[in-house]
Amino acid sequence: MADWMKFSACARAAALAFGLLSAASATTFYVTISGLGGEPDYEQRFKMWAEDIDSSLKRAGGDSNVITLQAPTREQIRARFADITRQAKPGDSLVVMLIGHGTYDGVDYKFNIPGPDLTASELGTLLDRVPATRQLVVNMTSCSGGSIETLRRPTRIVISATKTGSEKNATVFARYFAEALREPAADTDKNESVSALEAFKYAQQKTTDFFDTQKRLATEHSVIEDTGKGQGEKTPTAENGEGRLAGAFPVVRLGANAAAARDPSKRPLIERKEQLEQAIDKLKFDKAAMPQAEYTRQLTQLLLELAKTQEAIDK
């Protein structure tokens, strides 16, 4: 690609990033669903992990709508999504997390719930109807890799506990993803916010450690897809294009950020801070495709604005 074309593309990306900074206050809709366990031990685990996530999301503050469903029917899931579809705006975000067992027959993935199972095809249709353009799906079930091709979209992040639909064993990824949403160690850039990418990497490493400690062959390999066209990557990098959206998608706030988000007078400042951080993340991802001087100019401008915003929050 010619340099002027690269610069033009970067300029458009920068314009979009700066456009985010002037956007109206947005709502994040969270839908956490735990499915059938099949036996008491799994029922208890799935319920516990869903409640852990619910608690973290409600402590995080901000303008959010938190919905947690335990072993719902397909009709109950449809009804909840219908409510969100009526309420959501294009500038809002949607986070859907699935915990439980899944199956894959080589054609379609199914999430195990009471009555007829929820297929990836139907879930994709429900997601497509929601106006929120920023979407994250975290499928933490067995066989979850079989849902990636159906669920992926250019503006949707898809995280799955397994790399394919053939990894059929019950997963532990959900345990560690839930932990990531309340664990300061998951916040690797120390901005008191855990992004989708940070939560993925934390849960992925913890899952690897679990199998190593147990001296067992790993039966699940988590992947992430946020380009809208891939099959999922275990290691997202700028080279393979994975992780750009996920790195700029805050899932939960921690510490002082969460406290400030619960204060109505500071909430707009927290939202602006997050928008600036997202713009910085996107700019860093695009660094290789733009002139150094332009990158430095934009980064300096964003960092100055971020410092001013943080100062206002700290007052």
Side-chain angles (χ1 to χ4, degrees):
M1 183 184 294
D3 289 343
W4 70 269
M5 292 179 67
K6 290 182 180 179
F7 179 75
S8 178
C10 291
R12 288 195 297 271
L16 175 61
F18 280 107
L20 287 172
L21 307 185
S22 60
S25 178
T27 298
T28 299
F29 293 86
Y30 296 93
V31 183
T32 304
I33 309 174
S34 61
L36 286 175
E39 55 185 76
D41 183 37
Y42 286 123
E43 296 281 359
Q44 183 178 3
R45 289 188 207 179
F46 298 162
K47 180 176 182 290
M48 178 178 64
W49 294 338
E51 289 176 345
D52 190 0
I53 290 173
D54 182 89
S55 177
S56 295
L57 297 177
K58 289 178 177 176
R59 285 197 306 269
D63 191 358
S64 62
N65 184 314
V66 180
I67 299 167
T68 301
L69 305 174
Q70 295 183 355
T73 64
R74 191 166 61 179
E75 288 305 316
Q76 290 172 326
I77 294 173
R78 287 173 176 171
R80 287 294 190 170
F81 270 93
D83 290 340
I84 295 173
T85 299
R86 286 190 291 268
Q87 298 173 46
K89 305 179 297 296
D92 293 335
S93 299
L94 172 66
V95 179
V96 177
M97 291 175 273
L98 305 181
I99 301 170
H101 296 308
T103 60
Y104 182 68
D105 61 5
V107 177
D108 205 358
Y109 161 88
K110 293 182 180 180
F111 177 48
N112 299 163
I113 54 175
D117 290 336
L118 182 72
T119 67
S121 298
E122 181 167 14
L123 177 59
T125 298
L126 294 174
L127 293 167
D128 290 343
R129 290 173 181 165
V130 177
T133 52
R134 287 165 50 82
Q135 299 188 358
L136 165 65
V137 180
V138 188
N139 189 346
M140 298 175 271
T141 74
S142 49
C143 302
S144 50
S147 68
I148 295 174
E149 186 171 356
T150 301
L151 297 178
R152 67 189 183 191
R153 296 289 185 278
T155 58
R156 181 182 299 153
I157 304 158
V158 180
I159 291 172
S160 69
T162 75
K163 62 181 179 181
T164 67
S166 63
E167 293 186 318
K168 301 179 180 180
N169 289 42
T171 65
V172 298
F173 184 83
R175 168 185 173 183
Y176 298 115
F177 196 89
E179 186 178 299
L181 301 188
R182 55 176 165 78
E183 175 54 61
D187 175 24
T188 54
D189 62 5
K190 304 306 176 187
N191 67 346
E192 295 191 306
S193 176
V194 178
S195 70
L197 185 60
E198 287 175 323
F200 166 74
K201 288 183 175 180
Y202 179 92
Q204 183 184 62
Q205 184 59 56
K206 285 286 187 175
T207 299
T208 298
D209 294 344
F210 169 83
F211 284 102
D212 288 346
T213 300
Q214 297 291 317
K215 299 186 185 305
R216 291 165 48 188
L217 182 66
T219 55
E220 60 188 273
H221 302 83
S222 54
V223 295
I224 186 169
E225 160 51 42
D226 65 356
T227 66
K229 56 186 178 182
Q231 298 296 325
E233 286 284 346
K234 180 180 179 181
T235 307
T237 65
E239 286 70 29
N240 59 37
E242 299 288 359
R244 178 180 181 181
L245 293 183
F249 193 114
V251 181
V252 67
R253 302 179 183 91
L254 304 175
N257 260 12
R262 291 192 290 269
D263 181 346
S265 66
K266 290 190 175 182
R267 191 174 299 164
L269 290 170
I270 287 293
E271 291 176 351
R272 184 166 180 78
K273 176 187 174 184
E274 290 174 349
Q275 291 165 354
L276 285 161
E277 289 169 342
Q278 292 167 35
I280 290 170
D281 286 338
K282 289 179 180 178
L283 184 63
K284 288 179 178 178
F285 196 96
D286 290 333
K287 178 180 179 180
M290 62 193 308
Q292 179 62 38
E294 180 60 19
Y295 169 78
T296 301
R297 185 190 69 78
Q298 291 188 27
L299 181 61
T300 300
Q301 183 177 347
L302 287 168
L303 289 174
L304 286 173
E305 184 64 23
L306 180 61
K308 292 177 183 177
T309 303
Q310 185 63 59
E311 183 179 6
I313 292 172
D314 293 339
K315 285 183 179 179

Coordinates of all heavy atoms in Angstrom, one line a residue, residues 50-133:
A50 N -21.3 -17.3 37.5 CA -22.2 -16.3 37.0 C -22.5 -15.2 38.1 O -22.5 -14.0 37.8 CB -23.6 -16.9 36.5
E51 N -22.6 -15.6 39.3 CA -22.9 -14.7 40.4 C -21.6 -13.9 40.7 O -21.7 -12.7 41.0 CB -23.3 -15.5 41.7 CG -24.7 -16.0 41.6 CD -25.1 -16.9 42.8 OE1 -24.1 -17.2 43.5 OE2 -26.3 -17.2 42.9
D52 N -20.4 -14.5 40.5 CA -19.2 -13.8 40.7 C -19.1 -12.6 39.6 O -18.8 -11.5 40.0 CB -18.0 -14.7 40.5 CG -16.7 -14.2 40.9 OD1 -16.6 -13.0 41.3 OD2 -15.7 -14.9 40.7
I53 N -19.4 -12.9 38.4 CA -19.4 -11.9 37.3 C -20.4 -10.8 37.6 O -20.1 -9.6 37.5 CB -19.6 -12.6 36.0 CG1 -18.5 -13.4 35.5 CG2 -19.9 -11.5 34.9 CD1 -18.7 -14.2 34.3
D54 N -21.6 -11.2 38.0 CA -22.7 -10.3 38.3 C -22.2 -9.3 39.4 O -22.5 -8.1 39.3 CB -23.9 -11.1 38.8 CG -25.1 -10.2 39.1 OD1 -25.9 -9.9 38.1 OD2 -25.3 -9.7 40.2
S55 N -21.6 -9.8 40.4 CA -21.1 -9.0 41.5 C -20.1 -8.0 41.1 O -20.1 -6.8 41.4 CB -20.6 -9.8 42.6 OG -20.1 -9.1 43.7
S56 N -19.2 -8.4 40.3 CA -18.1 -7.5 39.8 C -18.7 -6.4 38.9 O -18.3 -5.2 39.0 CB -17.1 -8.3 39.0 OG -16.4 -9.2 39.8
L57 N -19.6 -6.8 38.0 CA -20.2 -5.8 37.1 C -21.0 -4.7 37.9 O -20.9 -3.5 37.6 CB -21.1 -6.5 36.1 CG -20.4 -7.4 35.2 CD1 -21.5 -8.1 34.3 CD2 -19.4 -6.7 34.3
K58 N -21.7 -5.1 38.9 CA -22.5 -4.2 39.7 C -21.6 -3.3 40.6 O -22.1 -2.2 40.9 CB -23.5 -4.9 40.5 CG -24.6 -5.5 39.7 CD -25.6 -6.4 40.5 CE -26.8 -6.9 39.6 NZ -27.7 -7.8 40.3
R59 N -20.5 -3.8 41.0 CA -19.6 -2.9 41.8 C -18.9 -1.9 40.9 O -18.3 -0.9 41.4 CB -18.5 -3.8 42.5 CG -19.0 -4.6 43.7 CD -17.8 -5.0 44.5 NE -16.8 -5.8 43.7 CZ -16.8 -7.1 43.6 NH1 -17.8 -7.8 44.1 NH2 -15.9 -7.7 42.9
A60 N -18.8 -2.1 39.6 CA -18.0 -1.3 38.7 C -18.6 0.1 38.5 O -17.9 1.0 38.0 CB -17.8 -2.0 37.4
G61 N -19.8 0.3 38.8 CA -20.4 1.6 38.6 C -20.6 2.0 37.1 O -20.5 1.2 36.2
G62 N -21.0 3.2 36.9 CA -21.2 3.7 35.6 C -22.7 3.5 35.1 O -23.5 2.9 35.8
D63 N -22.9 3.8 33.9 CA -24.2 3.7 33.3 C -24.3 2.3 32.6 O -23.9 2.1 31.5 CB -24.4 4.8 32.2 CG -25.9 4.8 31.7 OD1 -26.7 4.0 32.2 OD2 -26.2 5.7 30.9
S64 N -24.7 1.3 33.4 CA -24.8 -0.1 32.9 C -26.1 -0.7 33.2 O -26.8 -0.3 34.1 CB -23.6 -0.9 33.5 OG -23.7 -1.0 34.9
N65 N -26.4 -1.7 32.5 CA -27.6 -2.5 32.6 C -27.2 -4.0 32.8 O -26.7 -4.6 31.8 CB -28.5 -2.3 31.4 CG -29.9 -3.0 31.6 OD1 -29.9 -4.2 32.0 ND2 -31.0 -2.4 31.3
V66 N -27.2 -4.5 34.0 CA -26.7 -5.9 34.3 C -27.8 -6.9 34.4 O -28.7 -6.8 35.2 CB -25.8 -5.9 35.5 CG1 -25.3 -7.2 35.8 CG2 -24.7 -4.8 35.4
I67 N -27.8 -7.9 33.5 CA -28.7 -9.0 33.5 C -28.0 -10.3 33.7 O -27.1 -10.6 32.9 CB -29.5 -9.0 32.2 CG1 -30.3 -7.7 32.0 CG2 -30.5 -10.2 32.1 CD1 -30.8 -7.5 30.6
T68 N -28.4 -11.1 34.7 CA -27.8 -12.4 34.9 C -29.0 -13.4 34.9 O -29.9 -13.3 35.7 CB -27.1 -12.4 36.2 OG1 -26.0 -11.5 36.2 CG2 -26.4 -13.8 36.4
L69 N -28.9 -14.4 34.0 CA -29.9 -15.4 33.9 C -29.3 -16.8 34.2 O -28.2 -17.1 33.7 CB -30.4 -15.5 32.4 CG -31.0 -14.1 31.9 CD1 -31.3 -14.3 30.4 CD2 -32.2 -13.7 32.7
Q70 N -30.0 -17.5 35.0 CA -29.5 -18.9 35.4 C -30.4 -19.9 34.9 O -31.6 -20.0 35.2 CB -29.3 -18.9 36.9 CG -28.3 -18.0 37.5 CD -28.0 -18.1 39.0 OE1 -28.7 -18.8 39.7 NE2 -27.1 -17.3 39.4
A71 N -29.9 -20.8 34.0 CA -30.6 -21.8 33.4 C -31.9 -21.3 32.8 O -33.0 -21.9 33.1 CB -30.9 -23.0 34.4
P72 N -31.9 -20.3 32.0 CA -33.2 -19.8 31.4 C -33.6 -20.6 30.2 O -32.8 -21.4 29.6 CB -32.8 -18.4 30.9 CG -31.3 -18.6 30.5 CD -30.7 -19.6 31.5
T73 N -34.8 -20.5 29.8 CA -35.3 -21.2 28.6 C -35.0 -20.3 27.4 O -34.6 -19.1 27.6 CB -36.8 -21.4 28.6 OG1 -37.5 -20.1 28.6 CG2 -37.2 -22.2 29.8
R74 N -35.1 -20.8 26.2 CA -34.8 -20.0 25.0 C -35.8 -18.8 24.9 O -35.4 -17.7 24.5 CB -35.0 -20.9 23.8 CG -34.5 -20.3 22.5 CD -34.3 -21.3 21.4 NE -35.6 -22.0 21.1 CZ -35.7 -22.9 20.1 NH1 -34.6 -23.3 19.5 NH2 -36.9 -23.4 19.8
E75 N -37.0 -19.0 25.3 CA -38.0 -17.9 25.3 C -37.6 -16.8 26.2 O -37.8 -15.6 25.9 CB -39.4 -18.4 25.6 CG -40.0 -19.3 24.5 CD -40.0 -18.6 23.1 OE1 -40.4 -17.4 23.1 OE2 -39.7 -19.2 22.1
Q76 N -37.1 -17.2 27.4 CA -36.7 -16.1 28.4 C -35.5 -15.4 27.8 O -35.4 -14.1 28.0 CB -36.3 -16.8 29.7 CG -37.5 -17.3 30.4 CD -37.2 -18.2 31.7 OE1 -36.2 -18.9 31.7 NE2 -38.0 -18.1 32.7
I77 N -34.6 -16.0 27.1 CA -33.4 -15.3 26.5 C -33.9 -14.4 25.4 O -33.5 -13.2 25.4 CB -32.4 -16.4 26.0 CG1 -31.8 -17.2 27.1 CG2 -31.3 -15.7 25.2 CD1 -30.9 -18.3 26.7
R78 N -34.8 -14.9 24.6 CA -35.3 -14.0 23.5 C -36.0 -12.8 24.1 O -35.8 -11.7 23.6 CB -36.4 -14.8 22.7 CG -35.8 -15.9 21.8 CD -36.9 -16.7 21.2 NE -36.4 -17.7 20.2 CZ -37.2 -18.7 19.7 NH1 -38.5 -18.7 20.1 NH2 -36.7 -19.5 18.8
A79 N -36.7 -13.0 25.2 CA -37.4 -11.8 25.8 C -36.5 -10.8 26.3 O -36.7 -9.6 26.1 CB -38.3 -12.3 26.9
R80 N -35.4 -11.2 26.9 CA -34.4 -10.3 27.4 C -33.7 -9.5 26.3 O -33.5 -8.3 26.4 CB -33.3 -11.0 28.3 CG -33.8 -11.5 29.6 CD -34.2 -10.3 30.5 NE -34.4 -10.8 31.9 CZ -34.5 -9.9 32.9 NH1 -34.4 -8.6 32.7 NH2 -34.8 -10.4 34.1
F81 N -33.4 -10.2 25.3 CA -32.7 -9.6 24.1 C -33.7 -8.6 23.4 O -33.3 -7.5 22.9 CB -32.2 -10.6 23.1 CG -30.8 -11.0 23.4 CD1 -30.5 -12.2 24.2 CD2 -29.7 -10.3 22.9 CE1 -29.2 -12.5 24.4 CE2 -28.4 -10.7 23.1 CZ -28.2 -11.8 23.9
A82 N -35.0 -8.9 23.4 CA -36.0 -8.0 22.8 C -36.0 -6.7 23.6 O -36.1 -5.6 23.1 CB -37.4 -8.7 22.8
D83 N -35.9 -6.8 25.0 CA -35.9 -5.6 25.8 C -34.7 -4.8 25.5 O -34.8 -3.5 25.4 CB -35.9 -6.0 27.3 CG -37.2 -6.6 27.8 OD1 -38.2 -6.4 27.1 OD2 -37.2 -7.3 28.8
I84 N -33.5 -5.4 25.4 CA -32.3 -4.7 25.1 C -32.4 -4.0 23.7 O -31.9 -2.9 23.5 CB -31.1 -5.6 25.2 CG1 -30.9 -6.1 26.6 CG2 -29.8 -4.9 24.7 CD1 -29.8 -7.2 26.8
T85 N -32.9 -4.7 22.7 CA -33.1 -4.2 21.4 C -33.9 -2.9 21.4 O -33.6 -2.0 20.6 CB -33.7 -5.3 20.5 OG1 -32.8 -6.4 20.4 CG2 -33.9 -4.7 19.0
R86 N -34.9 -2.9 22.2 CA -35.8 -1.7 22.3 C -35.0 -0.5 23.0 O -35.3 0.6 22.6 CB -37.1 -2.0 23.0 CG -38.1 -2.8 22.2 CD -39.4 -2.9 22.9 NE -39.3 -3.7 24.1 CZ -39.6 -5.0 24.2 NH1 -39.9 -5.6 23.1 NH2 -39.5 -5.6 25.4
Q87 N -34.2 -0.8 23.9 CA -33.5 0.2 24.7 C -32.2 0.7 24.1 O -31.9 1.9 24.3 CB -33.3 -0.3 26.1 CG -34.5 -0.7 26.9 CD -34.1 -1.4 28.2 OE1 -33.2 -0.9 29.0 NE2 -34.7 -2.5 28.5
A88 N -31.5 -0.1 23.5 CA -30.1 0.2 23.1 C -30.1 1.2 21.9 O -30.9 1.2 21.1 CB -29.3 -1.1 22.7
K89 N -28.9 2.0 21.9 CA -28.7 2.9 20.9 C -27.4 2.5 20.2 O -26.6 1.8 20.7 CB -28.5 4.3 21.5 CG -29.7 4.8 22.3 CD -29.5 6.2 22.9 CE -28.3 6.3 23.8 NZ -28.5 5.4 25.1
P90 N -27.1 3.0 19.0 CA -25.9 2.7 18.3 C -24.6 2.9 19.0 O -23.6 2.2 18.9 CB -26.0 3.5 17.0 CG -27.4 3.7 16.8 CD -28.0 3.8 18.1
G91 N -24.6 4.0 19.9 CA -23.4 4.3 20.6 C -23.2 3.5 21.9 O -22.2 3.6 22.6
D92 N -24.1 2.6 22.2 CA -24.0 1.7 23.4 C -23.1 0.5 23.1 O -22.7 0.3 22.0 CB -25.4 1.3 23.8 CG -26.3 2.4 24.3 OD1 -25.7 3.5 24.8 OD2 -27.5 2.3 24.3
S93 N -22.9 -0.2 24.2 CA -22.1 -1.5 24.1 C -22.9 -2.7 24.6 O -23.8 -2.5 25.5 CB -20.8 -1.4 24.8 OG -20.0 -0.3 24.3
L94 N -22.6 -3.8 24.1 CA -23.3 -5.0 24.6 C -22.2 -6.1 24.9 O -21.3 -6.4 24.1 CB -24.2 -5.6 23.5 CG -24.9 -7.0 23.7 CD1 -25.8 -6.9 24.9 CD2 -25.6 -7.4 22.5
V95 N -22.4 -6.7 26.1 CA -21.5 -7.8 26.5 C -22.3 -9.0 26.8 O -23.2 -8.9 27.7 CB -20.6 -7.4 27.7 CG1 -19.7 -8.5 28.1 CG2 -19.8 -6.1 27.4
V96 N -22.1 -10.1 26.2 CA -22.8 -11.3 26.4 C -21.8 -12.4 26.8 O -20.8 -12.7 26.1 CB -23.6 -11.8 25.2 CG1 -24.3 -13.1 25.4 CG2 -24.6 -10.7 24.8
M97 N -22.1 -13.0 28.0 CA -21.2 -14.1 28.5 C -21.9 -15.4 28.7 O -23.0 -15.3 29.4 CB -20.5 -13.6 29.8 CG -19.5 -12.5 29.5 SD -18.8 -11.7 31.0 CE -20.0 -10.5 31.4
L98 N -21.5 -16.5 28.2 CA -22.1 -17.8 28.3 C -21.3 -18.7 29.1 O -20.1 -18.9 28.9 CB -22.3 -18.4 26.9 CG -23.1 -17.6 25.9 CD1 -23.2 -18.4 24.6 CD2 -24.5 -17.1 26.4
I99 N -21.9 -19.3 30.1 CA -21.2 -20.2 31.0 C -22.0 -21.6 31.0 O -23.2 -21.6 31.2 CB -21.1 -19.7 32.5 CG1 -20.4 -18.3 32.5 CG2 -20.5 -20.7 33.4 CD1 -20.5 -17.6 33.8
G100 N -21.3 -22.7 30.8 CA -22.0 -23.9 30.8 C -21.4 -25.0 29.9 O -20.2 -25.0 29.6
H101 N -22.3 -25.8 29.4 CA -21.9 -26.9 28.4 C -22.4 -26.5 27.0 O -23.5 -25.8 26.9 CB -22.6 -28.2 28.8 CG -22.1 -28.8 30.1 ND1 -20.8 -28.9 30.4 CD2 -22.8 -29.2 31.2 CE1 -20.7 -29.5 31.6 NE2 -21.9 -29.7 32.1
G102 N -21.7 -26.8 26.0 CA -22.1 -26.6 24.7 C -21.8 -27.9 23.9 O -21.1 -28.8 24.3
T103 N -22.4 -28.0 22.7 CA -22.2 -29.1 21.8 C -22.0 -28.6 20.4 O -22.4 -27.4 20.1 CB -23.4 -30.1 21.8 OG1 -24.6 -29.4 21.3 CG2 -23.6 -30.7 23.2
Y104 N -21.4 -29.4 19.5 CA -21.2 -29.0 18.1 C -21.3 -30.2 17.3 O -20.6 -31.2 17.5 CB -19.8 -28.3 18.0 CG -19.5 -27.9 16.6 CD1 -20.2 -26.8 16.0 CD2 -18.5 -28.5 15.8 CE1 -19.9 -26.3 14.8 CE2 -18.2 -28.0 14.5 CZ -18.9 -26.9 14.0 OH -18.7 -26.5 12.7
D105 N -22.1 -30.2 16.3 CA -22.3 -31.4 15.4 C -21.7 -31.3 14.1 O -21.9 -32.0 13.2 CB -23.8 -31.6 15.2 CG -24.5 -30.4 14.5 OD1 -23.8 -29.5 14.1 OD2 -25.8 -30.4 14.4
G106 N -20.8 -30.3 13.9 CA -20.1 -30.1 12.7 C -20.7 -29.0 11.8 O -20.2 -28.6 10.8
V107 N -22.0 -28.7 12.2 CA -22.7 -27.7 11.4 C -23.0 -26.5 12.3 O -22.8 -25.3 11.9 CB -24.0 -28.3 10.9 CG1 -24.8 -27.2 10.1 CG2 -23.7 -29.4 10.0
D108 N -23.6 -26.7 13.5 CA -24.0 -25.6 14.3 C -23.7 -25.9 15.8 O -23.8 -27.0 16.2 CB -25.5 -25.3 14.2 CG -25.9 -23.9 14.6 OD1 -24.9 -23.1 15.0 OD2 -27.0 -23.5 14.4
Y109 N -23.3 -24.9 16.5 CA -23.0 -24.9 17.9 C -24.3 -24.8 18.7 O -25.2 -24.0 18.3 CB -22.0 -23.8 18.3 CG -22.0 -23.5 19.8 CD1 -21.2 -24.2 20.7 CD2 -22.8 -22.5 20.3 CE1 -21.2 -24.0 22.0 CE2 -22.8 -22.3 21.7 CZ -22.0 -23.0 22.5 OH -22.0 -22.7 23.9
K110 N -24.4 -25.4 19.8 CA -25.6 -25.3 20.7 C -25.2 -25.1 22.1 O -24.3 -25.8 22.6 CB -26.5 -26.5 20.5 CG -27.1 -26.7 19.2 CD -28.0 -27.9 19.1 CE -28.7 -28.1 17.8 NZ -29.5 -29.3 17.7
F111 N -25.9 -24.1 22.8 CA -25.7 -23.8 24.2 C -26.7 -24.6 25.0 O -27.9 -24.4 24.7 CB -25.7 -22.3 24.4 CG -25.6 -21.9 25.8 CD1 -24.6 -22.3 26.6 CD2 -26.5 -20.9 26.3 CE1 -24.5 -21.9 28.0 CE2 -26.4 -20.5 27.6 CZ -25.4 -20.9 28.5
N112 N -26.3 -25.4 25.9 CA -27.3 -26.3 26.6 C -28.1 -25.5 27.7 O -27.5 -25.1 28.7 CB -26.5 -27.4 27.3 CG -25.8 -28.3 26.3 OD1 -25.0 -29.1 26.6 ND2 -26.2 -28.2 25.0
I113 N -29.4 -25.4 27.5 CA -30.3 -24.8 28.4 C -31.5 -25.6 28.6 O -31.7 -26.6 27.8 CB -30.7 -23.3 27.9 CG1 -31.2 -23.4 26.5 CG2 -29.5 -22.4 28.0 CD1 -31.7 -22.1 25.9
P114 N -32.4 -25.4 29.5 CA -33.7 -26.1 29.6 C -34.5 -26.0 28.4 O -34.6 -25.0 27.8 CB -34.4 -25.5 30.8 CG -33.3 -24.9 31.6 CD -32.3 -24.4 30.6
G115 N -35.1 -27.2 27.9 CA -35.9 -27.1 26.7 C -35.0 -27.1 25.5 O -33.8 -27.6 25.5
P116 N -35.4 -26.6 24.4 CA -34.6 -26.5 23.2 C -33.3 -25.7 23.4 O -33.4 -24.6 24.0 CB -35.5 -25.8 22.1 CG -36.9 -26.1 22.6 CD -36.8 -26.1 24.1
D117 N -32.2 -26.2 23.0 CA -31.0 -25.4 23.1 C -30.9 -24.2 22.3 O -31.7 -24.1 21.3 CB -29.8 -26.3 22.8 CG -29.6 -27.5 23.8 OD1 -30.0 -27.3 24.9 OD2 -29.0 -28.5 23.4
L118 N -30.1 -23.2 22.7 CA -29.9 -22.0 21.9 C -28.7 -22.3 20.9 O -27.6 -22.5 21.3 CB -29.5 -20.9 22.8 CG -29.3 -19.5 22.2 CD1 -30.7 -18.9 21.7 CD2 -28.7 -18.5 23.1
T119 N -29.0 -22.1 19.6 CA -27.9 -22.3 18.6 C -27.1 -21.1 18.4 O -27.6 -20.0 18.7 CB -28.5 -22.8 17.3 OG1 -29.3 -21.7 16.7 CG2 -29.4 -24.0 17.4
A120 N -25.9 -21.2 17.9 CA -25.1 -20.1 17.6 C -25.8 -19.2 16.5 O -25.7 -18.0 16.5 CB -23.7 -20.5 17.0
S121 N -26.5 -19.9 15.6 CA -27.2 -19.1 14.6 C -28.3 -18.2 15.2 O -28.4 -17.0 14.8 CB -27.9 -20.1 13.6 OG -26.9 -20.9 12.9
E122 N -29.0 -18.8 16.1 CA -30.1 -17.9 16.7 C -29.5 -16.8 17.6 O -30.0 -15.7 17.6 CB -31.0 -18.8 17.6 CG -32.1 -17.9 18.2 CD -33.3 -18.7 18.8 OE1 -33.1 -20.0 19.0 OE2 -34.3 -18.1 19.1
L123 N -28.4 -17.2 18.3 CA -27.7 -16.1 19.1 C -27.2 -15.0 18.2 O -27.4 -13.8 18.6 CB -26.6 -16.7 19.9 CG -25.8 -15.8 20.8 CD1 -26.6 -15.0 21.8 CD2 -24.6 -16.5 21.5
G124 N -26.6 -15.4 17.1 CA -26.2 -14.4 16.2 C -27.3 -13.5 15.7 O -27.1 -12.3 15.5
T125 N -28.4 -14.0 15.4 CA -29.6 -13.2 15.0 C -30.0 -12.3 16.1 O -30.3 -11.1 15.8 CB -30.8 -14.1 14.6 OG1 -30.4 -15.0 13.5 CG2 -32.0 -13.3 14.2
L126 N -30.0 -12.7 17.3 CA -30.4 -11.9 18.4 C -29.4 -10.7 18.6 O -29.8 -9.6 18.8 CB -30.5 -12.7 19.7 CG -31.6 -13.7 19.8 CD1 -31.4 -14.6 21.1 CD2 -32.9 -13.1 19.8
L127 N -28.1 -11.0 18.5 CA -27.1 -10.0 18.6 C -27.2 -9.0 17.4 O -27.0 -7.8 17.7 CB -25.7 -10.7 18.5 CG -25.3 -11.5 19.7 CD1 -24.1 -12.4 19.4 CD2 -25.1 -10.7 21.0
D128 N -27.4 -9.5 16.2 CA -27.5 -8.6 15.1 C -28.7 -7.6 15.2 O -28.6 -6.5 14.6 CB -27.7 -9.4 13.8 CG -26.5 -10.2 13.4 OD1 -25.4 -9.8 13.9 OD2 -26.6 -11.1 12.6
R129 N -29.7 -7.9 15.9 CA -30.9 -7.0 16.1 C -30.6 -5.9 17.1 O -31.3 -4.9 17.1 CB -32.1 -7.8 16.6 CG -32.6 -8.8 15.5 CD -33.7 -9.6 16.1 NE -34.3 -10.6 15.2 CZ -35.0 -11.6 15.5 NH1 -35.3 -11.9 16.7 NH2 -35.5 -12.4 14.5
V130 N -29.6 -6.1 18.0 CA -29.3 -5.1 19.0 C -28.6 -3.9 18.3 O -27.5 -4.1 17.7 CB -28.5 -5.6 20.1 CG1 -28.1 -4.5 21.1 CG2 -29.2 -6.8 20.8
P131 N -29.1 -2.7 18.4 CA -28.5 -1.5 17.7 C -27.0 -1.2 18.2 O -26.3 -0.6 17.4 CB -29.4 -0.4 18.1 CG -30.7 -1.0 18.4 CD -30.3 -2.3 19.1
A132 N -26.7 -1.6 19.4 CA -25.3 -1.3 19.9 C -24.3 -1.8 19.0 O -24.2 -3.0 18.7 CB -25.1 -1.9 21.3
T133 N -23.4 -0.9 18.5 CA -22.4 -1.3 17.5 C -21.2 -2.0 18.1 O -20.5 -2.8 17.4 CB -22.0 -0.1 16.7 OG1 -21.5 0.9 17.6 CG2 -23.1 0.4 15.8

